[in-house]
Amino acid sequence: MSRLRRLAVFAAAAVLPALGLTFAAQAPASAAPNFQVPFKCGVTVTAATFSGHNPANSVDFQKSGITGMPVVASVAGTVTRVENEGSTSYGRWIELDHGGGWRTRYAHLSAQEVSVGQKVSGGAEIGKAGATGGVTGPHLHFEENLNGVTQKAVLNGVAAVYYGKKDFTSKNNCGGNPYSATEVCGSGFSVIDQQGLGSSGTAYLLYNASTKANCVTTLKAVSLGTASPTSAFLEVQGQARTTDSGNFTYYAGPVKKTAGATCVKWGGSVGADTYTSGFEHCG
């Protein structure tokens, strides 16, 4: 999972040192928002993608009985378009602006419940799913667009399958940190230890039995979605400590190191609440 997804601010300059050129006017890269499944907390839907979909990389959310189901904002934003193309194209659709060039679109709606210029929070209902426009059956057409180009969809840090189908259970506006330690560290890692940081968050130590790698991440429980000081570190005995520290919106890390049978020291912090283990988990 990309570190860029949790940084509140990311600035970059395009520099070609070999040519001695700096393009100061080029727009900086923009971190993607933490896009969520655009249905209410706990709803499971199938995200379908296919070659030839227009635009490329868009997603069709499918579910039995989807007609009339509430559609919610993937993340907070401002309504920029509320359109009705009748029985063609998108049919009834809505677009939200999330800043940094990022916008989402929700199409084939049976109802639209917002107006242009309205600010909506993540998880707020904006309409209802349906089958308007040029479709053969009810579903929700969804796009994550950057500067007008549809990107491959990532939902709560998990990529949609291209091309195919994948079930997603919405964590949208469920409360709490939308990430888990295993999502941050990735496939193959399992939690082997954890330590609460008061009420501020939790530091986790994970292990991948196949690769003999450890992973540490610190998940916040406060100031979620707002950048605040958070850190995670991992030290293999006899080696230098590696720390990920900064102002993050949801978590610090992942910090990964191969240890095998060697002891590790690990920990993290959220604000003033910190934890540092002794050397342990030696094999």
Side-chain angles (χ1 to χ4, degrees), residues 3-10 220 223 225-231 244-252 271:
R3 172 185 173 90
L4 295 182
R5 295 195 174 282
R6 57 198 164 74
L7 291 172
V9 178
F10 176 78
K220 296 170 54 177
S223 301
T226 301
S228 64
T230 312
S231 71
D244 182 33
S245 179
N247 291 317
F248 301 131
T249 53
Y250 292 101
Y251 61 86

Side-chain angles (χ1 to χ4, degrees), residues 85-135:
E85 300 181 50
S87 59
T88 63
S89 187
Y90 287 166
R92 293 182 178 271
W93 61 281
I94 293 168
E95 180 182 77
L96 302 181
D97 183 357
H98 309 289
W102 287 97
R103 297 190 178 198
T104 51
R105 286 189 176 187
Y106 314 75
H108 308 312
L109 302 171
S110 61
Q112 298 149 296
E113 300 170 352
V114 291
S115 55
V116 172
Q118 182 177 340
K119 295 185 182 301
V120 295
S121 58
E125 184 171 333
I126 60 174
K128 289 186 167 60
T132 59
V135 298

Side-chain angles (χ1 to χ4, degrees), residues 3 6 204-205 214-218 230-246 248 252-258 264-269 275-276 279:
R3 172 185 173 90
R6 57 198 164 74
Y204 293 89
L205 175 66
N214 291 90
C215 177
V216 177
T217 181
T218 301
T230 312
S231 71
F233 79 85
L234 177 59
E235 180 181 344
V236 177
Q237 195 164 24
Q239 300 180 20
R241 178 179 297 189
T242 299
T243 302
D244 182 33
S245 179
F248 301 131
V255 180
K256 298 180 181 179
K257 280 181 172 290
T258 301
V264 297
K265 182 181 289 187
W266 62 282
S269 66
Y275 171 72
T276 299
F279 282 110

Side-chain angles (χ1 to χ4, degrees), residues 5-95:
R5 295 195 174 282
R6 57 198 164 74
L7 291 172
V9 178
F10 176 78
V15 181
L16 297 178
L19 300 177
L21 298 176
T22 301
F23 297 95
Q26 181 169 329
S30 176
N34 182 26
F35 291 117
Q36 299 291 307
V37 176
F39 291 90
K40 289 189 173 181
C41 175
V43 172
T44 298
V45 289
T46 300
T49 64
F50 52 90
S51 178
H53 206 172
N54 186 24
N57 299 330
S58 52
V59 173
D60 282 351
F61 285 108
Q62 304 169 342
K63 184 179 178 64
S64 176
I66 196 171
T67 300
M69 285 182 56
V71 173
V72 303
S74 181
V75 290
T78 302
V79 180
T80 51
R81 300 185 71 173
V82 179
E83 304 288 350
N84 184 357
E85 300 181 50
S87 59
T88 63
S89 187
Y90 287 166
R92 293 182 178 271
W93 61 281
I94 293 168
E95 180 182 77

